[in-house]
Amino acid sequence: MRMLGRTAQNLFWLSRYVERAENMARLLEVGYRMSLTSRREGGASEHLISMLQAAEMDEAFAERHDVADVDTVAYFMMFDPTNPSSVYSCLQAARTNARSVRTAITTDMWESMNGAWLEFSQIKPRDVRGAKLLGLLQWVRQRSHEFRGALLGTILRDDGFAFLQAGNFVERADNTARILDMKYYVLLPRSSLVGGEIDIQQWTLILRAASAHRSYGHVYHDRYKAHNIADFLILRTEMPRSLVYCAHFVRDNLNLLAKLYGRREACHDAMDDLLKLVEGTNMDQIFARGLHDFLNDFIDGNNRVTDTLSASYNFY
């Protein structure tokens, strides 16, 4: 029996919103730490603005704030209820979706999601600055991990699981692409050659944003290089936040839906096109083509997977 479209939609977006909350915390930490490295030169706001651009929040932010400093950007990304991608909005939406499908998720998943929202909703923005901001960003990541652990440890491997996991990894792929694009938006216009001398400290922050700092060292034993870091976050199949890994994971869960429902849908074709983009290339070809253009094509393809998935399974 096929799951109702509204239930499938709520499960898909429940998982996306939890992942997005974590990703907003990761992006903000990168922008915040980058701003600290350039504060002496008066360029702190440049990194915060580039981070907002990566998240496609810069225009909405500019409508509400005249200056991009740590306090205004942190409030906008963490607490602003008018920002649909703020951590506040994501956790609220995730909890609303979870409540709507209360009988389709496990008790552990509900308690994790409900507890995260109730705790976060009690935090006063004025109390979260400096080191406390970094502590809250870590808390957001931990609560996301807790929810994911409850999901993986308790839910049936049925169509509900497939929609949840597809949402998780569609969102994760989008975030990795934007983190990598943000790095090049800031640095490449100043570099005479792609892959030239890059600030090691900033590259380290990018890897940490993708939980890839330690694992990168296990794979590449030499110093940080733009070519290797981009390869690690795009094409390495063993890296769980790489674009190719996320695409494979979404593909596997869409295939589970095809098996359960007995047919392929338009979203499967869109997924095949996205896989061709990342599997039919190498880093030399990506750099020759232009990393920014490649990442934009990936983000567009990832969005097409979501759009066709919504149409295929009657999200409404």
Side-chain angles (χ1 to χ4, degrees):
M1 183 175 179
R2 186 163 178 160
M3 177 176 285
L4 291 175
R6 176 59 61 87
T7 301
Q9 177 189 40
N10 285 335
L11 291 171
F12 178 81
W13 281 101
L14 161 60
S15 199
R16 282 201 73 165
Y17 281 128
V18 173
E19 180 72 20
R20 185 175 298 178
E22 177 184 349
N23 293 338
M24 288 302 102
R26 291 176 179 277
L27 272 175
L28 179 56
E29 182 172 358
V30 170
Y32 173 67
R33 291 189 182 277
M34 280 186 172
S35 72
L36 295 180
T37 66
S38 58
R39 186 166 292 176
R40 292 181 180 178
E41 291 77 25
S45 65
E46 177 185 357
H47 297 295
L48 294 170
I49 291 172
S50 70
M51 180 266 298
L52 290 167
Q53 289 171 330
E56 294 188 352
M57 294 180 179
D58 51 313
E59 293 183 2
F61 177 86
E63 292 174 357
R64 297 168 176 79
H65 302 281
D66 296 325
V67 178
D69 57 25
V70 170
D71 289 342
T72 56
V73 171
Y75 174 80
F76 183 70
M77 293 192 68
M78 294 294 291
F79 298 104
D80 193 339
T82 68
N83 174 10
S85 291
S86 70
V87 172
Y88 177 96
S89 296
C90 287
L91 292 181
Q92 183 182 52
R95 194 247 190 180
T96 299
N97 279 278
R99 185 171 56 188
S100 298
V101 291
R102 181 67 187 83
T103 58
I105 62 176
T106 66
T107 299
D108 288 346
M109 291 170 65
W110 166 250
E111 290 180 349
S112 173
M113 189 67 262
N114 190 50
W117 162 247
L118 292 176
E119 189 172 346
F120 187 86
S121 63
Q122 298 302 311
I123 298 173
K124 295 180 174 58
R126 65 175 179 271
D127 295 334
V128 182
R129 295 185 177 183
K132 290 184 178 180
L133 173 61
L134 293 177
L136 180 59
L137 297 176
Q138 177 64 27
W139 178 88
V140 173
R141 294 198 299 272
Q142 289 174 342
R143 297 311 294 261
S144 174
H145 296 164
E146 179 183 301
F147 174 81
R148 195 173 302 116
L151 187 162
L152 293 174
T154 63
I155 199 166
L156 291 173
R157 270 42 178 179
D158 56 9
D159 48 355
F161 174 81
F163 285 116
L164 284 160
Q165 288 292 76
N168 190 147
F169 283 89
V170 162
E171 186 68 31
R172 181 175 296 184
D174 181 84
N175 182 69
T176 296
R178 293 181 187 281
I179 286 177
L180 194 53
D181 197 35
M182 175 183 70
K183 178 64 179 177
Y184 273 76
Y185 180 87
V186 173
L187 293 178
L188 285 192
R190 300 176 183 175
S191 302
S192 59
L193 180 67
V194 173
E197 288 298 323
I198 301 295
D199 185 344
I200 292 178
Q201 184 177 19
Q202 291 191 339
W203 274 123
T204 302
L205 292 175
I206 292 299
L207 288 169
R208 289 189 185 280
S211 292
H213 178 252
R214 189 178 298 274
S215 56
Y216 174 86
H218 291 313
V219 176
Y220 301 99
H221 301 290
D222 53 3
R223 65 189 180 90
Y224 298 109
K225 295 180 180 178
H227 184 284
N228 290 347
I229 291 171
D231 176 67
F232 193 58
L233 296 179
I234 295 174
L235 300 178
R236 299 296 298 214
T237 56
E238 68 270 43
M239 167 54 188
R241 287 185 174 271
S242 73
L243 301 187
V244 70
Y245 182 95
C246 291
H248 283 162
F249 218 96
V250 175
R251 185 269 315 275
D252 291 345
N253 283 281
L254 294 186
N255 285 345
L256 175 58
L257 290 173
K259 179 180 179 181
L260 291 171
Y261 295 147
R263 64 178 182 271
R264 285 172 56 90
E265 303 282 0
C267 57
H268 295 90
D269 296 330
M271 191 68 246
D272 288 344
D273 291 339
L274 186 61
L275 279 169
K276 289 177 184 177
L277 178 66
V278 291
E279 291 183 330
T281 190
N282 56 53
M283 286 314 304
D284 290 336
Q285 293 172 334
I286 290 174
F287 277 131
R289 173 185 177 182
L291 179 62
H292 177 71
D293 291 338
F294 173 84
L295 293 172
N296 276 344
D297 287 345
F298 182 90
I299 291 170
D300 289 342
N302 200 43
N303 289 337
R304 281 194 294 275
V305 171
T306 295
D307 292 340
T308 53
L309 178 68
S310 299
S312 297
Y313 294 97
N314 300 316
F315 290 7
Y316 58 89

